[in-house]
Amino acid sequence: MPVWSLNQTEERPTFVTHLECSETGKTFEADKPYNLSPAGKPLLVRYDLAAARRHMNLDTLAQRPMDLWRYREILPVRRASNIVSLGENTTPLIPLPAMARRLGARILLVKDEGRLPTGSFKARGIAMAVSMAKELGIKRIAMPTNGNAGAALAAYATRAGIEAIVLCPDDTPEVNVREIAAQGARVYRVNGLIDDCGKIVGEGAAQGHWFDFSTLKEPYRIEGKKTMGLDLAEQLGWQLPDVIFYPTGGGTGLIGMWKAFAEMEELGLIGSERPRMVSVQAEGCAPIVKAFEDGEEHAPRWEGASTLAWGIRVPKAIGDFLILRAVRESQGFAISVSDEEITRAVAEAGAADGLLLCPEGGAALAAYEKALAEGKVQPDERAVLFNCATGLKYPLVDQSKILDHHQLPAFSTL
Ligand SMILES: *Cc1c(COP(=O)(O)O)cnc(C)c1O
């Protein structure tokens, strides 16, 4: 089966019926551009799943390429010609046998999202959102980013012939800032955090300069990110793991997967079983963890946010209540880890199993280790950790030593 062979002339139907406010349940007509609902909350896309079920099932899926678009009955894009693609392949589920042995666990799996276009799982959400922007005739987009979302937007918008303006905190990893520009967007460094960038983007949108593509402020990124749940279940033979560790910034992926599981049940692909959803954050920016522990429905802004895991340095998430709802409904939990634990976990996975994690993936591994030690997860449970981006995008520790080619080294000491 081809890994990627999107047929752009193919017309498989989507079964979108309407959009719905995630707080009030108020419904909105499909096929129009939207930001937040009038209640100021994210909109969710709804489908006629009973009808979709007749087209998307184990038999039809078996015929399709292993990419994100294989699930298109429950994706929002109507016309295949509007699909903007850079090859959104299914990502591998990689065991960490040495780490599992070391921790006394039966099995430990990493969903390695670093293999996607632009090197992160942001490609899933942005491919979908940009395809919808193309379908809806949007010409200019702006977005605040910690790096990876901006890189994905740059690539996909350029490919769609849409103008993209990206604002990032001035300490965003250099490679992210440069790749955004290299892929055709205009990038600005802002002396603030991602929500400070978001305020500028929001004001510009209010003045009619561009369309606001902030996390969850347009409804289609969730639809792209939800394919992680479909992908994962399909790879496990339409079974779900016992527990999922998800490094959480805006929470799009966690919210999206939780939505996907409900849709998959209605499609008859899985039963009512669900994994426990674990929201992983860094100690230096853990608004969701604090709200979870305080029993709150919303998470107040985290002041003085600081962590080397930039992708989860989000002081205030607009979908906080959706993240917390999914975590609680799943009987999961929220957990934070320190930057030292993150750095150690990245080093451990690389040295023990040869898999280079990004810092956020390291946070997931560190959180798994901590949860195992605290008895929140059992060693015989099947855990899946999300590695959100390729570790190659981040500054790596220099561990090399120097050799002088004028004299041969003492070989036995190398
Ligand atoms: C965006 C991002 C995250 C957080 O993802 P959300 O779904 O927005 O919570 C985690 N890690 C990396 C590397 C990211 O780019």
Side-chain angles (χ1 to χ4, degrees):
M1 182 165 314
V3 168
W4 185 76
S5 66
L6 182 69
N7 181 349
Q8 298 257 348
T9 60
E10 188 179 7
E11 291 292 336
R12 270 188 250 137
T14 171
F15 291 88
V16 177
T17 51
H18 61 278
L19 283 75
E20 192 180 288
C21 173
S22 56
E23 179 155 276
T24 65
K26 189 170 187 291
T27 61
F28 300 86
E29 213 179 307
D31 307 308
K32 287 185 170 174
Y34 289 106
N35 290 114
L36 294 174
S37 74
K41 298 294 184 224
L43 288 168
L44 300 174
V45 184
R46 297 299 181 198
Y47 301 85
D48 179 352
L49 294 168
R53 187 175 177 156
R54 290 193 289 276
H55 297 255
M56 189 180 132
N57 50 50
L58 298 187
D59 294 333
T60 56
L61 283 173
Q63 313 295 319
R64 300 181 186 174
M66 294 304 291
D67 65 23
L68 169 159
W69 306 100
R70 64 196 270 98
Y71 308 117
R72 63 167 307 192
E73 281 87 356
I74 55 165
L75 297 177
V77 185
R78 294 234 185 244
R79 280 174 300 280
S81 58
N82 287 323
I83 290 177
V84 185
S85 177
L86 287 159
E88 298 70 32
N89 49 292
T90 295
T91 59
L93 201 51
I94 301 173
L96 296 187
M99 283 304 300
R101 258 196 315 279
R102 183 179 299 178
L103 299 170
R106 188 170 59 87
I107 187 167
L108 183 56
L109 298 167
V110 172
K111 181 86 172 137
D112 191 7
E113 296 282 300
R115 320 293 178 98
L116 282 157
T118 71
S120 85
F121 63 19
K122 291 297 190 303
R124 292 185 188 263
I126 300 297
M128 199 61 57
V130 168
S131 297
M132 286 307 291
K134 181 177 172 192
E135 191 152 276
L136 299 172
I138 292 166
K139 298 283 182 239
R140 183 193 265 193
I141 293 170
M143 179 200 266
T145 184
N146 277 325
N148 288 323
L153 176 65
Y156 285 93
T158 294
R159 210 168 166 81
I162 295 173
E163 225 181 306
I165 295 138
V166 176
L167 277 61
C168 62
D170 52 11
D171 63 348
T172 301
E174 201 53 38
V175 64
N176 284 138
V177 181
R178 294 184 188 199
E179 70 179 322
I180 292 167
Q183 290 163 163
R186 297 202 292 285
V187 59
Y188 297 89
R189 301 177 200 249
V190 177
N191 55 350
L193 290 173
I194 188 166
D195 51 351
D196 300 308
C197 300
K199 276 187 209 117
I200 302 175
V201 168
E203 190 52 43
Q207 292 186 21
H209 294 287
W210 50 57
F211 188 80
D212 187 343
F213 240 50
S214 302
T215 306
L216 300 188
K217 288 193 180 165
E218 67 75 54
Y220 303 112
R221 253 162 94 176
I222 288 189
E223 297 305 295
K225 279 292 245 336
K226 83 179 180 189
T227 60
M228 293 191 294
L230 287 143
D231 234 46
L232 178 59
E234 192 166 13
Q235 281 171 317
L236 294 173
W238 297 104
Q239 298 209 325
L240 297 175
D242 296 306
V243 53
I244 292 178
F245 282 76
Y246 189 80
T248 310
T252 329
L254 195 152
I255 298 165
M257 282 193 279
W258 193 244
K259 181 174 187 282
F261 297 149
E263 293 174 354
M264 284 154 60
E265 185 178 353
E266 282 201 53
L267 289 168
L269 295 169
I270 58 167
S272 60
E273 72 282 2
R274 295 287 184 277
R276 303 204 298 290
M277 304 298 285
V278 178
S279 172
V280 177
Q281 297 201 302
E283 278 176 7
C285 183
I288 299 296
V289 179
K290 179 158 189 341
F292 178 78
E293 287 170 354
D294 292 347
E296 299 288 346
E297 202 192 338
H298 288 274
R301 185 176 196 268
W302 186 275
E303 299 304 329
S306 155
T307 169
L308 55 80
W310 284 270
I312 53 176
R313 196 179 64 179
V314 177
K316 175 78 191 145
I318 191 145
D320 52 3
F321 66 109
L322 297 172
I323 301 168
L324 288 158
R325 202 180 280 172
V327 168
R328 288 184 176 126
E329 276 178 16
S330 75
Q331 318 288 336
F333 54 93
I335 185 169
S336 62
V337 291
S338 68
D339 278 4
E340 295 69 44
E341 290 169 319
I342 291 173
T343 306
R344 179 155 33 88
V346 170
E348 279 177 355
D353 281 302
L355 186 68
L356 184 63
L357 300 175
C358 62
E360 297 78 5
L365 176 57
Y368 173 73
E369 294 191 38
K370 190 178 268 189
L372 207 54
E374 292 175 357
K376 289 178 174 159
V377 173
Q378 301 309 313
D380 61 345
E381 288 189 300
R382 186 151 66 167
V384 169
L385 316 178
F386 271 84
N387 185 48
C388 320
T390 168
L392 292 173
K393 281 205 187 192
Y394 299 82
L396 297 176
V397 181
D398 180 18
Q399 302 183 66
S400 63
K401 299 193 178 80
I402 307 290
L403 286 185
D404 176 4
H405 74 94
H406 295 104
Q407 58 198 63
L408 285 176
F411 287 106
S412 62
T413 67
L414 293 189

